[in-house]
Amino acid sequence: MKPTDNANPEYYHKVVDCQYACPAHTPVPEYIRMIAAGRYEDAYMINWESNVFPGVLGRTCDRPCEPACRRGRIEEQPVAICRLKRVAADFKTDVSHRMPKIPSKKNGKRIACVGGGPAALTVCRDLMPLGYHIDLYDAQNAGGGFMRSQIPSFRLPETVLNEEVGYILNMGVVTHFDTYIDSLKGVLDKGYDAVFVGTGAPRGRDLNAPGRQEGAANIHIGIDWLASVAFGHVEKIGKKVIVLGGGNTAMDCCRTSMRLGGESVSVVVRSPRSEMKASPWEIEDAEREGIPMFENHVPVEFVIEDGKLVGMKFEKVKASYDSNGKRSLIPTGEDHIFFPCDDVLIAVGQENSFPWIERDVGVDFGKWDMPAVDEVTYQSSNPKVFFGGDAAFGPKNVITAVAQGHQAAVSIDLFCRGDDVHKRPAPGVTTVSQKMGVHEWSYDSKIEDDKRYKVPHAEVKIALTDRKLEVELGFDVETALKEAHRCLNCDVQTVFTESRCIECDACADICPTECITFINNDEEPALRTKLRAPANNLTQDLYVSRDLPTKRVLVKDEDVCLHCGLCAERCPTSAWDMQKFLYQVSKAGSIQ
Amino acid sequence: MTYLRPNFRHPDLPTNELGYTKKNYEGSLSTLCAGCGHDSISAAIVQACFELSIEPHKVAKLSGIGCSSKTPTYFLGNSHGFNSVHGRMPSVVTGANMANRDLIYIGVSGDGDTASIGMGQFVHAVRRSLNMTYIVENNGCYGLTKGQDSATADVGSKSKKGDANPFEGIDLAALALQLGASFVARSFSGDKEQLIPLLKAAIKHPGFAFIDVISPCVTFNNNPGSTKSYEFVRDHLQATGTVDFVPMRKEITTSYSAGTSQEVTLHDGSVIHLHKIDDKLDIHNRRSALDLIQEYKSESKILTGLLYMDKEPTDLHETIGTVHKPLRSLQEKELCPGNNVLQNINASFR
Ligand SMILES: Cc1cc2nc3c(=O)[nH]c(=O)nc-3n(C[C@H](O)[C@H](O)[C@H](O)COP(=O)(O)OP(=O)(O)OC[C@H]3O[C@@H](n4cnc5c(N)ncnc54)[C@H](O)[C@@H]3O)c2cc1C
Ligand SMILES: Cc1ncc(C[n+]2csc(CCOP(=O)(O)OP(=O)(O)O)c2C)c(N)n1
Ligand code: SF4
Ligand code: SF4
Ligand code: SF4
Ligand SMILES: [Mg+2]
């Protein structure tokens, strides 16, 4: 193998599994250490810089970081990264003075944001400190987009959302709420230098089955219904409720129903349970509240009696997979099953729709009537129009919307300066040795052996009485500290200097997880089998040195390195050093 | 503070026949200087015992005084241990071995501990053919007392301060050969591929097995001019060949070319296989080993590997005809067999 180019920031970036997996590349271990040190404001601000909504995301994030967490490869469960983010938000004191200063003298450029969800708010967050004037238009009566209209208050208290939306709007964004934009041309005609489209994926999929028309009064599109609940237009639902669909929207629908008078609420899914799209923890939360899930039931009809919905019929199916793993649902031949109900909530998917964008304003539309958007710059074929969030590439989640908002802001800034939007500024990278003296390092490598701690929940009986009562209670300080100590400090990197190594083997001998091997070089596949422990995780890189005096090379398998620092501790010549690597994604206004 | 060893290990660590992983053979975290050769030897002992599927409680590790003699704390944390006085490990092993011949005895000593203060003890342990593995972690100096030249330092070897050693060094492997040791080897702490199979063979050897392991002292004797530094040893190393230890139940899969290879089958059916580089070596012939050591030394090369091995050694218990059971398991019935037996003994002298 060729020697590893560890001067390329992407090498060590990838070693920080959680940060790498986070769409916004939040420096996770850095903020977890701050929490362990009781520095909640610092932990909060590190998050705020990257993901803009720490309080919201600490409760609702899809947490792609957690399945990536190295701890999950060393023992059973990853660090509770997401819930630690909430700890930072919960325990911080006032941070308003730490928010960026907004120049009173503007730079003369005017931007329009259509939509006020997390993507558009991130664009505002990044461009306001640079002196832009921003007009934000949203059909809703307050900012936050789906975070406000869809995510129920028992998962995300309004106060938390208001605080974090407030930090951005208070920068001087000119808001135009209750304003539905029905023409992009109209917006462009106002002479904006750039337009950001962050309108999300606002249309809920319907289910056309016999009885749909007749039963309409009691059949609701899930996301429309959730928005009506959030804005107080709907306060009740029937006693018996069927929720169709197995995603997170279905979970929010069923749990909300339980709080609005539903007594017998069932989730009914076409697919096998193992293929339900909802996050495992959302399913778990719904089940804890007494909501059963029925798998392998395909809707056949809405049953209407005397012009009123009385239930639904389902056909039982069995999943079968062909040799390519493609699934088909085969009817079992049993009689159709009747589920009585008063109301049905349809949560079977969400779509984009852009009825308000004229097809002659230079924005090309491609497959599935989606706008053609550049995956790096988020620019559309009309150079003034940028997309981000669910509007760009279909429904995802808040953190993805934020990440895309940051990148769109970079592009808008480049574009407004007349620079090439493809020349992206480099990420900010700092590497700092942690060595302080003999046996002394400036990071705390002592990790907690305990299994992942559980976040306490409000008692179900009480939680169900009030749709605004938050179910998860968050970690207390002591538990947060222990959970924070489960983090392995994967950003404290093992950095090797060939010229110092005397090949004494001390590092290889001490490494608790057999990461280090001195060996004759070979091609990667062969090398992977010959190390002290086979390097079977192909997603993790091998760190290969240049030739050493004995003509061998050092190979370190990054996979299960505990970042304990023992290799550096036991190295007589400091050929190994532990260096804290901080990677910050390029932001609008960063120097190129 | 990172001077702590995490409790997590590689999730896919292999297990041995007992279902143990290497972790079950570890000891406490070493307090030796970072980079000390002795730590590598400890790691090799851990690996050898793991691979041999030895039950940790069936091992006694004994030592004298010195950095080397501290190391038994850093391996086999679940075994018996005795850290004796300077140079006195052999007599403690003798006592222990006489009392319980069922344990595996691993003696760890230094060049100071063996070649100076403990020389008198060492030669008698060899001469008596105590069934043990005797490891000298040889760094050519007294590490623990800050690096004074030891009796194994080569003449002319320079200390850290730059002074050349005026005395001829004692070659402990040659001495062990002369005194009748039934297994003699030399190795280097930085060559685990050689050291681990040698340790396995030594542990399995049913008599006195001696391994002189050159083990650089990074702090006091790793300077230019020293003949026990990592660099010097690497540059002057000449192995007698590669050694394979094949346990009884395993098939021999490597093929060896005739003429340059020699094979020894042990009493339990396991096989030690030597692939020789120098075909002048006959590992069953003491003279051959002694000659070769001299020959390589005159070319200022260090001969490592298996040097001599007696296939059917006689250990001390056999020589003096002791009981087969461990002494501590003998009951009053056996120890005081009664008047009749006494009368018979007395009669035999009349
Ligand atoms: C029920 C449900 C629960 C969810 N739960 C989570 C969760 O727990 N965690 C998570 O990470 N994600 C969750 N999501 C997904 C997440 O809410 C979205 O991915 C995210 O909000 C997308 O952000 P965005 O900025 O692209 O747009 P949105 O948040 O969708 O905001 C778009 C905004 O644009 C406005 N708008 C649209 N068209 C126009 C127009 N023509 N004129 C003016 N305004 C317009 C809308 O009113 C809306 O306010 C959930 C989604 C749903 C449906
Ligand atoms: C009876 C006695 N005399 C002297 C000493 C001082 N002393 C301690 S260790 C040592 C030499 C150890 O040298 P070696 O056996 O080579 O071990 P190393 O530290 O080099 O591994 C000496 C002389 C002692 N502890 N006890
Ligand atoms: S930091 Fe060094 S010793 Fe610790 S696990 Fe990683 S490679 Fe091994
Ligand atoms: S401990 Fe240091 S000098 Fe020794 S082998 Fe490892 S990197 Fe090289
Ligand atoms: S002084 Fe020398 S022998 Fe003793 S621990 Fe340090 S390096 Fe090893
Ligand atoms: Mg010594």
Side-chain angles (χ1 to χ4, degrees), chain B residues 180-197:
Chain B
S182 49
F183 179 111
V184 180
R186 175 144 44 219
S187 193
F188 170 44
S189 65
D191 184 3
K192 285 210 194 62
E193 269 175 50
Q194 182 192 59
L195 181 55
I196 293 167

Side-chain angles (χ1 to χ4, degrees), chain A residues 270-511:
Chain A
R270 296 160 54 92
S271 62
R273 188 195 155 105
S274 58
E275 287 177 34
M276 279 171 66
K277 289 216 179 72
S279 316
W281 56 88
E282 304 247 349
I283 299 176
E284 210 178 277
D285 287 347
E287 286 182 327
R288 188 182 303 109
E289 293 175 359
I291 300 163
M293 317 266 157
F294 296 92
E295 59 175 355
N296 298 326
H297 282 64
V298 174
V300 176
E301 69 167 298
F302 297 96
V303 182
I304 312 290
E305 271 174 23
D306 302 330
K308 198 177 172 304
L309 176 79
V310 292
M312 279 192 80
K313 267 191 190 151
F314 296 92
E315 176 175 53
K316 278 215 75 181
V317 291
K318 210 170 67 210
S320 112
Y321 302 85
D322 70 12
S323 54
N324 299 323
K326 200 169 167 292
R327 186 195 75 189
S328 42
L329 297 173
I330 316 281
T332 60
E334 291 163 73
D335 289 345
H336 290 178
I337 301 167
F338 176 73
F339 281 66
C341 74
D342 303 313
D343 284 283
V344 173
L345 297 173
I346 303 175
V348 295
Q350 233 180 294
E351 286 163 351
N352 292 80
S353 87
F354 299 97
W356 58 281
I357 299 186
E358 296 83 352
R359 302 300 139 120
D360 61 355
V361 288
V363 177
D364 291 346
F365 279 74
K367 250 213 289 198
W368 296 312
D369 210 26
M370 284 293 281
V373 176
D374 186 291
E375 284 179 30
V376 175
T377 65
Y378 296 91
Q379 195 173 36
S380 73
S381 51
N382 179 334
K384 274 193 182 179
V385 181
F386 298 81
F387 284 75
D390 289 356
F393 299 110
K396 301 250 160 43
N397 50 36
V398 174
I399 189 66
T400 305
V402 168
Q404 297 182 351
H406 280 311
Q407 292 309 314
V410 169
S411 302
I412 293 172
D413 185 43
L414 291 170
F415 177 73
C416 288
R417 292 162 186 263
D419 291 334
D420 182 354
V421 292
H422 292 280
K423 290 214 175 98
R424 316 297 289 177
V429 177
T430 53
T431 331
V432 180
S433 173
Q434 300 294 287
K435 196 171 177 72
M436 302 219 293
V438 179
H439 300 336
E440 270 192 285
W441 301 85
S442 47
Y443 76 108
D444 188 0
S445 68
K446 186 172 186 296
I447 49 169
E448 175 61 60
D449 287 349
D450 286 0
K451 297 261 146 56
R452 180 180 169 118
Y453 289 90
K454 285 207 162 66
V455 179
H457 283 71
E459 212 188 305
V460 173
K461 256 212 315 248
I462 300 168
L464 290 181
T465 58
D466 180 355
R467 79 169 170 91
K468 294 196 173 180
L469 200 74
E470 189 169 18
V471 171
E472 279 198 24
L473 304 178
F475 284 132
D476 57 24
V477 173
E478 292 75 37
T479 319
L481 183 68
K482 290 198 151 214
E483 186 63 35
H485 274 133
R486 292 182 70 238
C487 172
L488 302 172
N489 303 290
C490 297
D491 58 342
V492 179
Q493 305 286 357
T494 54
V495 180
F496 182 72
T497 309
E498 288 84 348
S499 58
R500 295 213 183 109
C501 177
I502 58 170
E503 296 179 69
C504 69
D505 274 3
C507 52
D509 288 339
I510 198 71
C511 177

Side-chain angles (χ1 to χ4, degrees), chain B residues 238-273:
Chain B
Q238 183 64 63
T240 55
T242 49
V243 183
D244 275 346
F245 178 84
V246 189
M248 174 185 57
R249 279 169 287 269
K250 284 251 173 75
E251 225 185 305
I252 299 175
T253 49
T254 330
S255 58
Y256 303 95
S257 50
T260 55
S261 69
Q262 214 171 343
E263 216 170 72
V264 189
T265 306
L266 298 183
H267 60 112
D268 71 350
S270 43
V271 176
I272 293 168
H273 199 109

Side-chain angles (χ1 to χ4, degrees), chain A residues 104-407:
Chain A
S104 48
K105 192 169 174 301
K106 299 290 164 188
N107 68 3
K109 303 284 181 189
R110 292 169 61 248
I111 312 293
C113 284
V114 187
L121 290 170
T122 301
V123 171
C124 298
R125 142 82 186 73
D126 287 355
L127 295 183
M128 286 306 290
L130 301 180
Y132 286 87
H133 169 96
I134 302 180
D135 284 319
L136 181 137
Y137 301 91
D138 196 303
Q140 288 178 189
N141 62 10
F146 269 19
M147 299 189 293
R148 188 175 297 278
S149 64
Q150 298 297 317
I151 304 183
S153 299
F154 57 83
R155 288 206 288 125
L156 173 60
E158 219 179 333
T159 46
V160 175
L161 179 63
N162 287 346
E163 176 190 331
E164 295 188 332
V165 171
Y167 289 139
I168 295 161
L169 297 184
N170 292 342
M171 291 176 173
V173 175
V174 180
T175 55
H176 306 264
F177 289 132
D178 294 319
T179 306
Y180 180 79
I181 297 295
D182 55 10
S183 160
L184 177 58
K185 196 163 180 306
V187 177
L188 289 167
D189 284 348
K190 288 187 182 157
Y192 288 108
D193 293 285
V195 177
F196 176 76
V197 179
T199 49
R203 190 198 284 162
R205 242 180 237 141
D206 203 349
L207 177 79
N208 280 322
R212 173 71 182 91
Q213 296 303 322
E214 298 87 321
N218 294 90
I219 302 171
H220 321 276
I221 301 289
I223 66 170
D224 296 342
W225 182 79
L226 284 171
S228 305
V229 173
F231 292 115
H233 308 317
V234 167
E235 287 171 347
K236 274 211 295 291
I237 196 156
K239 287 202 169 73
K240 292 195 205 95
V241 182
I242 294 175
V243 176
L244 300 175
N248 286 338
T249 304
M251 297 305 115
D252 283 339
C253 285
C254 66
R255 295 179 70 195
T256 302
S257 301
M258 290 294 280
R259 287 158 171 83
L260 296 192
E263 284 171 7
S264 150
V265 179
S266 312
V267 172
V268 188
V269 208
R270 296 160 54 92
S271 62
R273 188 195 155 105
S274 58
E275 287 177 34
M276 279 171 66
K277 289 216 179 72
S279 316
W281 56 88
E282 304 247 349
I283 299 176
E284 210 178 277
D285 287 347
E287 286 182 327
R288 188 182 303 109
E289 293 175 359
I291 300 163
M293 317 266 157
F294 296 92
E295 59 175 355
N296 298 326
H297 282 64
V298 174
V300 176
E301 69 167 298
F302 297 96
V303 182
I304 312 290
E305 271 174 23
D306 302 330
K308 198 177 172 304
L309 176 79
V310 292
M312 279 192 80
K313 267 191 190 151
F314 296 92
E315 176 175 53
K316 278 215 75 181
V317 291
K318 210 170 67 210
S320 112
Y321 302 85
D322 70 12
S323 54
N324 299 323
K326 200 169 167 292
R327 186 195 75 189
S328 42
L329 297 173
I330 316 281
T332 60
E334 291 163 73
D335 289 345
H336 290 178
I337 301 167
F338 176 73
F339 281 66
C341 74
D342 303 313
D343 284 283
V344 173
L345 297 173
I346 303 175
V348 295
Q350 233 180 294
E351 286 163 351
N352 292 80
S353 87
F354 299 97
W356 58 281
I357 299 186
E358 296 83 352
R359 302 300 139 120
D360 61 355
V361 288
V363 177
D364 291 346
F365 279 74
K367 250 213 289 198
W368 296 312
D369 210 26
M370 284 293 281
V373 176
D374 186 291
E375 284 179 30
V376 175
T377 65
Y378 296 91
Q379 195 173 36
S380 73
S381 51
N382 179 334
K384 274 193 182 179
V385 181
F386 298 81
F387 284 75
D390 289 356
F393 299 110
K396 301 250 160 43
N397 50 36
V398 174
I399 189 66
T400 305
V402 168
Q404 297 182 351
H406 280 311
Q407 292 309 314

